[in-house]
């Protein structure tokens, strides 16, 4: 069968069948179909146009505007600008640090200007606690058993001997303490003997022997003023390094040892300590002058920074942040003695050279 018989008859072209029907177009003729029924030829034309896809019945619906896409989730939102750099923050609880610092300062100054012997007792307590912290961390992190008992007894004896007999007494007590460490360690098995006694002798020199110079500062007639000068310069140096380094620090001083320290902070420590040194030598130390204070302040800034770096090296080797937790906001006693211990002999030596030991 021929499929063309099933197709609608073609619609003749002409104005009567124009797609645009207006008020002046001719009326469509009415013709009968094969069955004799009349129908509007317009309907036939419409069906034919629809079958052939003519333009008459093309969808006249206006084009729809595209639906607006939903906004991206916050995680996919475009970043118009890079986020601002994080604000610098202090690494410790400043309120606790300030409170503990004020309390320690009150104890120190009260003991200095009331009874000198009481301040010597404060030094002894600080030495013994510092030795306990150091030996405990050595044993916990490295398995090194530096004997605490001879260190504590010898450390206390060192401080008292330095106060009573001066440098000679301090050296004798240091030698006896080292000997006591060697003998005490013999009561245990020989394994790691050399490592343990080496750590013990190092601890005896690092903590009590250096602290002995603070007691020796106190023996002069203006001893309390000398100790105050020593403490003020060290604290001012640390404060200057922190303030300037926190605000302007960009160039690392020793990134492998202490990443937080900067060269700008070191210059701040020098400037602050030299200014404080000039004032202290001029108004606190009898016979002192401002230029001596400049030299003293510069030396203190260097020694305090080296002392801080030295303990940072020890703590980095041990893999710890603080030596202890005894002082909230400060860590342990050793974390406060780090810059004081190496600075004490520097201050004692320069003051002895400038104004004598009397």
């Amino acid at each position: 069968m021929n499929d063309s018989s099933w197709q609608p008859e073609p619609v003749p072209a002409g104005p009567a069948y124009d797609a645009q029907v207006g008020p002046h177009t001719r009326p469509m003729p009415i013709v009968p179909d094969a069955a004799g029924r009349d129908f509007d030829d317009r309907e036939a034309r419409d069906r034919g146009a629809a079958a052939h896809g003519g333009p008459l019945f093309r969808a006249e619906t206006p084009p729809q505007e595209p639906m607006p896409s939903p906004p991206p989730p916050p995680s996919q939102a475009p970043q118009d600008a890079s986020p601002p750099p994080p604000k610098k923050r202090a690494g410790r609880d400043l309120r606790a640090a300030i409170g503990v610092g004020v309390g320690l300062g009150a104890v120190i100054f009260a003991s200095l200007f009331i009874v000198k012997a009481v301040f010597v007792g404060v030094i002894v307590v600080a030495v013994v606690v510092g030795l306990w912290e150091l030996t405990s961390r050595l044993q916990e992190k490295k398995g090194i058993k530096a004997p605490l008992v001879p260190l504590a007894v010898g450390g206390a004896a060192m401080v008292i001997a330095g106060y009573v007999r001066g440098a000679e007494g301090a050296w004798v007590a240091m030698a006896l303490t080292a000997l006591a460490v060697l003998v005490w360690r013999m009561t245990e098995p020989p394994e790691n003997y050399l490592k343990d006694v080496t750590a013990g002798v190092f601890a005896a020199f690092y903590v009590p022997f250096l602290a002995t110079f603070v007691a020796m500062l106190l023996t002069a007639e203006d001893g309390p003023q000398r100790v105050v000068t020593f403490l003020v310069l060290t604290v001012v140096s640390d404060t200057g390094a922190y303030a300037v380094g926190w605000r302007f620090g960009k160039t690392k001083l020793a990134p492998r040892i202490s990443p937080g320290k900067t060269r700008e902070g070191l210059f701040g420590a020098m400037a602050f300590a030299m200014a404080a040194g000039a004032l202290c030598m001029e108004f606190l130390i009898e016979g002192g002058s401002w230029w001596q204070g400049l030299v003293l302040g510069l030396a203190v800034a260097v020694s305090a920074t080296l002392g801080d770096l030295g303990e940072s090296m020890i703590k980095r080797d041990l893999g710890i942040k603080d030596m202890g937790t005894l002082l909230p906001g400060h860590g342990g006693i050793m974390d406060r003695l780090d810059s004081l211990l190496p600075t004490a002999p520097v201050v004692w030596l320069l003051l002895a050279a400038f104004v004598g030991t009397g």
Side-chain angles (χ1 to χ4, degrees), residues 175-233:
L176 293 176
T177 301
L179 180 61
V181 169
L182 296 175
V183 174
W184 190 280
R185 180 59 180 78
M186 290 179 184
T187 60
E188 298 185 9
E191 289 79 13
N192 298 322
Y193 175 81
L194 183 60
K195 181 171 64 175
D196 293 345
V197 297
T198 301
V201 174
F202 164 74
F205 174 82
Y206 181 47
V207 184
F209 181 75
L210 294 182
T212 300
F213 286 90
V214 183
M216 291 166 58
L217 284 172
L218 193 61
T219 59
E221 293 183 2
D222 58 347
Q225 287 79 7
R226 297 192 182 202
V227 174
V228 168
T229 299
F230 155 69
L231 294 174
V232 167
L233 292 187

Side-chain angles (χ1 to χ4, degrees), residues 302-323:
V302 174
S303 64
T305 301
L306 291 176
D308 202 354
L309 289 175
E311 188 173 355
S312 295
M313 195 79 169
I314 296 173
K315 292 189 288 188
R316 187 167 291 275
D317 184 28
L318 296 177
I320 58 177
K321 180 182 178 182
D322 294 322
M323 282 291 187

Side-chain angles (χ1 to χ4, degrees), residues 269-311:
M270 292 178 179
F272 277 56
M274 291 173 71
L279 294 174
C280 289
M281 289 297 293
E282 189 70 29
F283 297 105
L284 290 181
I285 305 302
E286 184 177 354
S289 61
W290 63 270
W291 67 267
Q292 295 171 341
L294 295 179
V295 176
L296 182 62
L298 179 62
V300 167
V302 174
S303 64
T305 301
L306 291 176
D308 202 354
L309 289 175
E311 188 173 355

Side-chain angles (χ1 to χ4, degrees), residues 30-312:
I30 305 300
V31 294
D33 62 357
R37 293 173 299 185
D38 296 336
F39 67 97
D40 192 342
D41 195 33
R42 189 183 307 170
E43 296 180 1
R45 188 217 35 206
D46 294 345
R47 287 196 300 271
H52 289 281
L56 181 62
F57 287 93
R58 184 175 299 165
E60 298 295 337
T61 57
Q64 297 182 355
E65 297 182 358
M67 296 292 292
S69 58
S75 59
Q76 300 178 358
Q79 299 292 333
D80 296 336
S82 58
K87 295 182 179 180
K88 294 182 179 181
R89 299 180 58 188
R92 300 183 184 273
D93 186 349
L94 289 181
R95 291 185 178 180
I98 293 173
V100 171
V102 171
L104 290 176
V107 172
I108 291 172
F109 279 93
S111 60
L112 267 176
F113 291 97
I114 296 176
V115 181
K116 289 184 178 181
V118 176
F119 181 73
V120 175
V122 172
I123 300 175
V124 169
V125 171
V127 163
V128 172
V129 175
L131 286 169
W132 170 72
E133 290 179 347
L134 179 59
T135 56
S136 298
R137 301 296 87 76
L138 288 174
Q139 184 170 357
E140 290 173 2
K141 301 299 180 179
K142 296 292 185 178
I144 300 174
K145 298 179 181 179
L148 178 60
V149 173
L151 285 174
V153 175
M158 243 183 279
V159 174
I160 297 172
Y163 179 70
V164 176
R165 300 297 300 270
E168 182 180 354
W171 277 113
V172 171
M174 171 66 197
L176 293 176
T177 301
L179 180 61
V181 169
L182 296 175
V183 174
W184 190 280
R185 180 59 180 78
M186 290 179 184
T187 60
E188 298 185 9
E191 289 79 13
N192 298 322
Y193 175 81
L194 183 60
K195 181 171 64 175
D196 293 345
V197 297
T198 301
V201 174
F202 164 74
F205 174 82
Y206 181 47
V207 184
F209 181 75
L210 294 182
T212 300
F213 286 90
V214 183
M216 291 166 58
L217 284 172
L218 193 61
T219 59
E221 293 183 2
D222 58 347
Q225 287 79 7
R226 297 192 182 202
V227 174
V228 168
T229 299
F230 155 69
L231 294 174
V232 167
L233 292 187
T234 308
V235 172
V236 167
S237 172
D238 290 345
T239 304
Y242 173 81
V244 176
W246 180 82
R247 182 64 179 85
F248 303 103
K250 294 181 180 179
T251 308
K252 301 298 182 182
L253 178 64
R256 297 181 60 183
I257 303 175
S258 182
K261 289 181 173 53
T262 62
R263 296 179 184 178
E264 293 81 2
L266 176 59
F267 294 146
M270 292 178 179
F272 277 56
M274 291 173 71
L279 294 174
C280 289
M281 289 297 293
E282 189 70 29
F283 297 105
L284 290 181
I285 305 302
E286 184 177 354
S289 61
W290 63 270
W291 67 267
Q292 295 171 341
L294 295 179
V295 176
L296 182 62
L298 179 62
V300 167
V302 174
S303 64
T305 301
L306 291 176
D308 202 354
L309 289 175
E311 188 173 355
S312 295

